[in-house]
Amino acid sequence: MVLLENDAFLTELTRLFQKCRTTGSVVITFKKYDGRTKPVPRKGHPETFEAADNKCLLRASDGKNKISTVVSTKEVIKFQMAYSNLLRAHMDGLKKKDKKSKSKKTKATQ
């Protein structure tokens, strides 16, 4: 997994979307991140870690390539605007759901 800066993450995410436009999918996850790199200690052991501020960990994967970034509270609004514009630009590749005709449903219920 590659930890990138926010702008580099958005450019790599754009490449992932373009690569998976015809076949494949991109999985994106959001997670609250407090800066820990080690697991939480068990009971009985003192906990010396204190989180400075809330952060958000974003991960994206297409099955082969994995990228991630950490967004701080100061950069959330700027990143969210850029991320939403990116999603809007690449949502046109979605498949439309097949709609069944209403006449078949009404005949089945009668």
Side-chain angles (χ1 to χ4, degrees):
M1 179 151 325
V2 181
L3 185 65
L4 301 171
E5 294 294 323
N6 295 339
D7 295 333
F9 177 81
L10 291 172
T11 56
E12 285 295 319
L13 187 61
T14 304
R15 287 188 189 134
L16 281 178
F17 279 136
Q18 290 172 351
K19 190 169 113 178
C20 296
R21 183 174 289 275
T22 56
T23 59
S25 61
V26 177
V27 178
I28 301 172
T29 59
F30 284 86
K31 184 178 181 181
K32 184 178 177 181
Y33 182 67
D34 58 359
R36 289 182 194 255
T37 56
K38 297 181 179 179
V40 179
R42 295 181 183 173
K43 292 182 181 178
H45 296 288
E47 185 175 335
T48 59
F49 181 80
E50 293 184 20
D53 62 343
N54 293 329
K55 296 179 182 177
C56 184
L57 174 68
L58 277 91
R59 294 178 179 152
S61 173
D62 66 346
K64 295 179 183 176
N65 300 330
K66 295 179 182 178
I67 57 173
S68 62
T69 188
V70 176
V71 181
S72 66
T73 53
K74 296 174 185 174
E75 302 169 347
V76 167
I77 295 173
K78 177 185 165 191
F79 182 83
Q80 189 67 29
M81 294 297 287
Y83 177 68
S84 64
N85 289 337
L86 181 96
L87 284 181
R88 283 189 199 125
H90 291 91
M91 284 290 177
D92 58 353
L94 295 174
K95 295 180 183 177
K96 295 202 176 195
K97 191 174 182 181
D98 293 332
K99 294 183 179 179
K100 296 180 181 178
S101 64
K102 291 182 180 181
S103 61
K104 290 181 182 178
K105 286 184 181 179
T106 56
K107 288 180 182 178
T109 57
Q110 292 176 356

